[in-house]
Amino acid sequence: MSFEHVFSLTVSGVTVGMIYALIALGYTMVYGVLQLINFAHGEVFTVGGYIAASTLIWIGVDASTPLWVKLGYFALALVVSVVVTATLGWLIERVAYRPLRGRSRIIPLLSAIGVSIFLQNLLIVIFGPEPIIMPTAIVPAGFVNVFGARVRILQIIVIAVSLLLMALLTWIVKGTRIGKAMRATSQDREAAEMMGIETNRTISFTFVIGSALAAIGGFIVAMYYGSLQFDTGFLYGLKAFTAAVLGGIGNIPGAVVGSLILGLAENWGVGLTLGLLAWLFVVGLALGLYIQMVHAPRRRIDHIADEFRTPEYEGRLKAVYRLAPVVAVKTLLSERTDALVHVSARHAVQLMAGNLVLFAFAVVFFMNGDVQFSSKWQHVISFAVLMAILMFRPSGILGENIQEKV
Amino acid sequence: MAGTFRRVADVFGRIPRWVYIVAALVLAIVFPMLEQAGLMQTLWLRLGTRTLVYVLLAVGLNLVLGETGLLHLGYVAFFAVGAYSTAILSSPRLGIHWNFWVIIVIATVLAMLFGFVIGMPTLRLRGDYLAIVTLAFGEITRMTFNNWESVTNGPGGIPGIFPPNLFGWVVDKPAEFFYLLLASVVLVVWLLNNLKKSRVGRAWNALREDEIASHHSGVRPTQVKMLAVVLSSGIAGLAGAIFAYYQQFINPTYFLFMQSTIVVCMVVLGGMGSIPGAIVGAVVLDATPEIIRQAFTQWLPDALGSDFLPGVQTALQTDFDRYRMLIFGLVIVLMVIFRPEGLLPDQLWRREVHDEDPRDQEHTRQHLFDFEEGEKDLEV
């Protein structure tokens, strides 16, 4: 378990995380403006990759093509795939979601799943069930040495391009008129409409931007792994959605943070021995204990109105958190006299349970220090992350960015 | 055209409900006898048995998707849990051969337990999270069965599941399985129909229509939703157990995500929240593609000569599944846009999706006028 190994795992984790982020941004933006999980987004991503790859196959690139011509073809494929996919995103919204606006919540979700099935099988009908192979000549080969680890040039390009796109997106959302309209629409659609914002156009624009990002993601995945299959987008979409929830759905920086965490978790999870992974649980445990012992009681105390904030009461709340097994459980079992103490006791017991789980994981992992997860369990990791985040902090790491209207 | 359709529908609507139920039961009971009498190929009996498995699944999913209004996209995972627990506990794989009744109970309870585990973190949250978690759970379950080779034999699957023994009656012929499944369908439908009319059933429907209002009327959303999820998981587990016995061999490819979406499609087509709708949806979507395939590859060429539309024949033989799923996807989208209440709608759901005032409907008005007192007050 050398440093180079850990470093190259980290680089591939960041690369995969960036790809997830490109897809997760589409989910999170659509969720922001419509409160809809766009299940078809994963398929839009696959379509983007397929269009790019088939354009390059159709042009016919081989090793003898000079570099600048290759770059031209590359740009052409990118433009074609982005245009086609953005149109597809627009069309999906127009045909499958817009007529259903204002219906009960489950109806657009059903429509989304229908679109997703339709697109996936359309890809099979058109391209066949075999994976589409990216022409290898277009993919930058070559490695560079960073800190003694071999890093693919493509990985560096992917990270750079993704960062650039995210900067561009930030500029669009924060610095342009349409971005302002997007933010307004996601805060309150009716109010935005009354202020003269064309919400329909804004929503269409959100779909177009999200789909374009997904198309670039699809292109990158096709280059990175060399091929793409009709159901690739399903798994990627699922993981990108997990990443979006992890960071806080509707929250644009959250999608990027969540994606990076998920990418790293997947690569470290199957690349490192359990002894090294245990340290992550130790860090998590330290964080959890900090929350339980310091952060949570302080926040509870902040909520008490000044005239009731006596030292004894503060001491009682702190004791509930710090001596959770004794005081909190006793409070929970006793008669319900003080709502705040009772709620705090329940919270304290939950936090303690979480910390115990982390501790148990750390101990088990340390005891089997040199075992390693087989890579076939990689997908299970993101599911475990999803369940854990929904269990303990459903609003995500950076918090949700939507106002739930009643 | 639409008027004629409505008039025909009206005529059929006036026939009392028990006539339909008896007719369907008689049809179902006679169906395997046709094969016994040599009037029908075994192929069709096998199709009928598969359809009954789908009926069981659709009725179970309807509980979550239709009655409670929660999108559940990993239903096949619970089916898989039931099927695998049966296969492990009653096959030469680990050399265990437990009693049928014990296994049925274990499969059902285990599936319920998984439903509970999935529901615990998600049902407190907005409904969409259940969709994505169940979707992920469906995939993870399949991958786990695929990777956990020491128990499930991985992609190879588990062959040679022993036939069930019901108090000395060994069930091993398709017709016998058909009756076994029919009995379970009747039992489950009877149970769910009673539940639907009970306090719990009204709570489910209330939650579907307005969670906040029903919460304030004393419905506990998390517990009531949990009951629906756990019950429907149990039904899937039961279906899985019988399916495993019937198939005698299972492997992870029986439990693809596609299967879950097919069941969703059946419920949407038939009419969400309507038990007869779920049954009809399952029968239509499972049987029609097969009939079309048979028609174009067997009957029409036999009748009109083998050169009848050879392109269509080869397409149906090789790419049938893709076109089928393509059309299923389209069916879902078109149904939710143009006829969200489904083929055989549930009254409550129809009103909900069309924003109808119940007082505007003729039969409701008739019903209101049946009360002699206060006739004037009810005039709208």
Side-chain angles (χ1 to χ4, degrees):
Chain A
M1 206 47 51
S2 58
F3 170 74
E4 289 80 49
H5 180 64
V6 178
F7 184 76
S8 65
L9 278 177
T10 310
V11 171
S12 55
V14 171
T15 317
V16 174
M18 285 295 177
I19 297 171
Y20 289 159
L22 289 179
I23 313 167
L25 284 169
Y27 272 114
T28 220
M29 284 194 298
V30 167
Y31 200 91
V33 296
L34 279 182
Q35 278 88 57
L36 163 78
I37 300 177
N38 180 10
F39 274 110
H41 197 60
E43 271 59 50
V44 170
F45 154 90
T46 326
V47 170
Y50 262 81
I51 299 280
S54 54
T55 312
L56 287 172
I57 291 171
W58 178 67
I59 294 173
V61 193
D62 54 41
S64 60
T65 321
L67 181 66
W68 62 273
V69 181
K70 266 193 217 170
L71 277 178
Y73 288 160
F74 179 85
L76 180 72
L78 190 69
V79 168
V80 170
S81 111
V82 165
V83 167
V84 170
T85 317
T87 316
L88 181 68
W90 177 81
L91 203 69
I92 290 174
E93 195 272 331
R94 200 60 208 259
V95 173
Y97 301 152
R98 193 174 293 182
L100 301 174
R101 242 181 253 162
R103 293 269 191 84
S104 74
R105 220 185 162 104
I106 191 173
I107 295 280
L109 278 181
L110 281 172
S111 179
I113 204 83
V115 172
S116 159
I117 301 168
F118 177 76
L119 284 180
Q120 210 181 74
N121 288 281
L122 193 66
L123 278 178
I124 310 181
V125 167
I126 297 175
F127 293 98
E130 304 81 22
I132 190 163
I133 310 290
M134 195 76 180
T136 42
I138 201 83
V139 182
F143 292 86
V144 282
N145 264 317
V146 186
F147 301 127
R150 271 154 63 90
V151 174
R152 282 171 78 180
I153 290 178
L154 185 61
Q155 289 179 319
I156 298 173
I157 297 176
V158 168
I159 295 173
V161 167
S162 313
L163 285 176
L164 196 74
L165 286 171
M166 284 162 207
L168 188 71
L169 184 73
T170 315
W171 174 72
I172 292 177
V173 173
K174 292 268 150 95
T176 62
R177 252 180 103 76
I178 186 91
K180 212 178 208 174
M182 271 166 70
R183 281 181 291 146
T185 310
S186 77
Q187 264 189 14
D188 190 331
R189 193 156 69 229
E190 278 170 30
E193 208 151 317
M194 283 174 213
M195 298 295 137
I197 292 169
E198 280 187 59
T199 47
N200 274 336
R201 226 180 63 192
T202 314
I203 291 169
S204 294
F205 181 75
T206 311
F207 271 84
V208 166
I209 291 273
S211 307
L213 286 177
I216 298 172
F219 196 3
I220 288 174
V221 167
M223 288 202 297
Y224 194 62
Y225 295 104
S227 70
L228 204 65
Q229 208 171 359
F230 64 93
D231 58 355
T232 313
F234 176 67
L235 211 55
Y236 271 86
L238 208 56
K239 287 184 182 170
F241 181 80
T242 304
V245 172
L246 186 61
I249 191 140
N251 185 327
I252 291 178
V256 179
V257 171
S259 305
L260 284 179
I261 292 177
L262 199 65
L264 285 175
E266 275 187 3
N267 277 277
W268 283 345
V270 296
L272 297 182
T273 56
L274 294 190
L276 281 173
L277 285 179
W279 286 106
L280 288 176
F281 283 97
V282 170
V283 172
L285 186 63
L287 198 71
L289 283 176
Y290 169 77
I291 293 176
Q292 190 190 340
M293 298 296 167
V294 184
H295 181 72
R298 200 161 60 201
R299 283 207 39 190
R300 277 281 186 249
I301 289 166
D302 284 347
H303 277 291
I304 310 172
D306 281 336
E307 58 264 39
F308 298 113
R309 202 186 289 168
T310 58
E312 298 92 90
Y313 197 69
E314 282 185 18
R316 204 171 147 204
L317 271 180
K318 279 181 186 158
V320 161
Y321 277 102
R322 290 185 187 158
L323 300 169
V326 189
V327 182
V329 172
K330 218 163 88 186
T331 315
L332 277 181
L333 294 178
S334 66
E335 206 179 326
R336 190 169 182 163
T337 49
D338 184 317
L340 189 65
V341 172
H342 202 85
V343 168
S344 304
R346 207 163 61 189
H347 188 208
V349 169
Q350 279 171 359
L351 283 175
M352 194 187 64
N355 284 336
L356 279 180
V357 169
L358 286 175
F359 179 73
F361 266 107
V363 168
V364 170
F365 278 25
F366 271 127
M367 273 162 48
N368 306 295
D370 39 346
V371 186
Q372 203 169 333
F373 273 125
S374 148
S375 64
K376 61 190 183 187
W377 295 105
Q378 193 176 28
H379 304 306
V380 182
I381 293 174
S382 33
F383 180 67
V385 169
L386 178 64
M387 288 301 268
I389 194 83
L390 289 179
M391 219 40 131
F392 293 108
R393 195 176 160 79
S395 57
I397 294 169
L398 299 189
E400 291 184 25
N401 197 17
I402 53 154
Q403 276 77 27
E404 188 75 343
K405 273 180 289 182
V406 174
Chain B
M1 175 65 203
T4 325
F5 181 75
R6 180 150 301 169
R7 235 169 289 143
V8 171
D10 255 13
V11 170
F12 281 103
R14 259 184 238 125
I15 301 174
R17 206 164 192 192
W18 61 266
V19 174
Y20 287 110
I21 296 173
V22 168
L25 274 178
V26 167
L27 214 62
I29 290 170
V30 169
F31 184 69
M33 293 173 185
L34 293 178
E35 190 251 359
Q36 305 277 301
L39 294 170
M40 188 177 65
Q41 289 168 300
T42 318
L43 171 86
W44 295 105
L45 187 61
R46 290 196 167 275
L47 174 67
T49 317
R50 196 181 77 186
T51 306
L52 277 187
V53 174
Y54 274 119
V55 166
L56 213 49
L57 286 176
V59 169
L61 183 67
N62 180 45
L63 186 61
V64 178
L65 180 62
E67 304 284 359
T68 323
L70 298 165
L71 186 50
H72 191 318
L73 292 174
Y75 201 56
V76 78
F78 301 101
F79 183 61
V81 167
Y84 264 98
S85 38
T86 306
I88 290 165
L89 295 176
S90 170
S91 75
R93 169 85 191 135
L94 298 182
I96 309 173
H97 188 172
W98 285 7
N99 185 288
F100 169 79
W101 298 106
V102 178
I103 288 176
I104 285 283
V105 170
I106 289 179
T108 313
V109 171
L110 209 61
M112 282 178 162
L113 206 69
F114 273 101
F116 182 76
V117 170
I118 292 299
M120 215 166 39
T122 47
L123 290 177
R124 290 179 293 138
L125 311 169
R126 275 189 310 271
D128 327 0
Y129 283 111
L130 183 76
I132 208 82
V133 169
T134 47
L135 176 63
F137 178 70
E139 280 304 287
I140 297 302
T141 313
R142 189 173 57 80
M143 281 175 196
T144 308
F145 287 137
N146 207 21
N147 294 344
W148 193 10
E149 295 193 356
S150 58
V151 176
T152 64
N153 196 20
I158 302 181
I161 299 167
F162 300 123
N165 187 335
L166 285 75
F167 306 121
W169 173 40
V170 179
V171 180
D172 54 359
K173 287 202 257 322
E176 292 169 342
F177 272 105
F178 188 90
Y179 286 126
L180 180 64
L181 274 164
L182 189 64
S184 352
V185 168
V186 169
L187 186 76
V188 165
V189 166
W190 174 72
L191 180 83
L192 292 184
N193 200 39
N194 279 352
L195 269 178
K196 188 184 162 87
K197 285 186 254 166
S198 74
R199 194 179 157 80
V200 181
R202 289 194 298 274
W204 284 332
N205 291 349
L207 275 178
R208 179 185 73 199
E209 277 165 40
D210 194 332
E211 181 162 342
I212 293 163
S214 51
H215 193 178
H216 284 251
S217 319
V219 175
R220 301 167 117 199
T222 313
Q223 279 88 333
V224 173
K225 283 186 205 165
M226 184 66 98
L227 184 66
V229 168
V230 166
L231 270 182
S232 82
S233 308
I235 295 172
L238 173 74
I242 301 178
F243 176 75
Y245 275 127
Y246 166 61
Q247 210 71 22
Q248 293 169 12
F249 163 75
I250 53 167
N251 72 4
T253 54
Y254 284 121
F255 310 109
L256 297 174
F257 170 63
M258 194 180 78
Q259 301 291 335
S260 299
T261 55
I262 290 176
V263 182
V264 169
C265 200
M266 287 165 177
V267 175
V268 173
L269 179 75
M272 285 187 279
S274 138
I275 295 174
I279 296 172
V280 167
V283 172
V284 168
L285 279 192
D286 196 46
T288 318
E290 213 58 40
I291 291 172
I292 291 176
R293 168 153 57 183
Q294 282 296 317
F296 277 94
T297 55
Q298 289 259 282
W299 302 336
L300 288 178
D302 282 356
L304 304 167
S306 59
D307 55 341
F308 174 73
L309 295 180
V312 175
Q313 279 186 44
T314 46
L316 282 175
Q317 263 151 4
T318 55
D319 311 332
F320 186 66
D321 262 349
R322 310 166 193 178
Y323 288 110
R324 190 175 62 140
M325 285 311 289
L326 191 77
I327 291 166
F328 280 12
L330 213 58
V331 163
I332 293 190
V333 177
L334 294 179
M335 283 304 279
V336 294
I337 292 179
F338 294 110
R339 200 180 156 85
E341 71 270 32
L343 291 180
L344 283 184
D346 182 57
Q347 288 306 322
L348 205 61
W349 179 270
R350 189 215 303 251
R351 264 183 249 151
E352 190 189 344
V353 292
H354 286 303
D355 271 335
E356 274 174 15
D357 190 332
R359 289 170 300 186
D360 293 345
Q361 284 181 342
E362 195 168 340
H363 65 271
T364 325
R365 183 172 297 196
Q366 218 68 53
H367 183 71
L368 288 177
F369 285 141
D370 286 346
F371 296 101
E372 285 181 14
E373 306 96 331
E375 199 172 298
K376 292 280 183 301
D377 303 341
L378 289 168
E379 189 74 68
V380 276

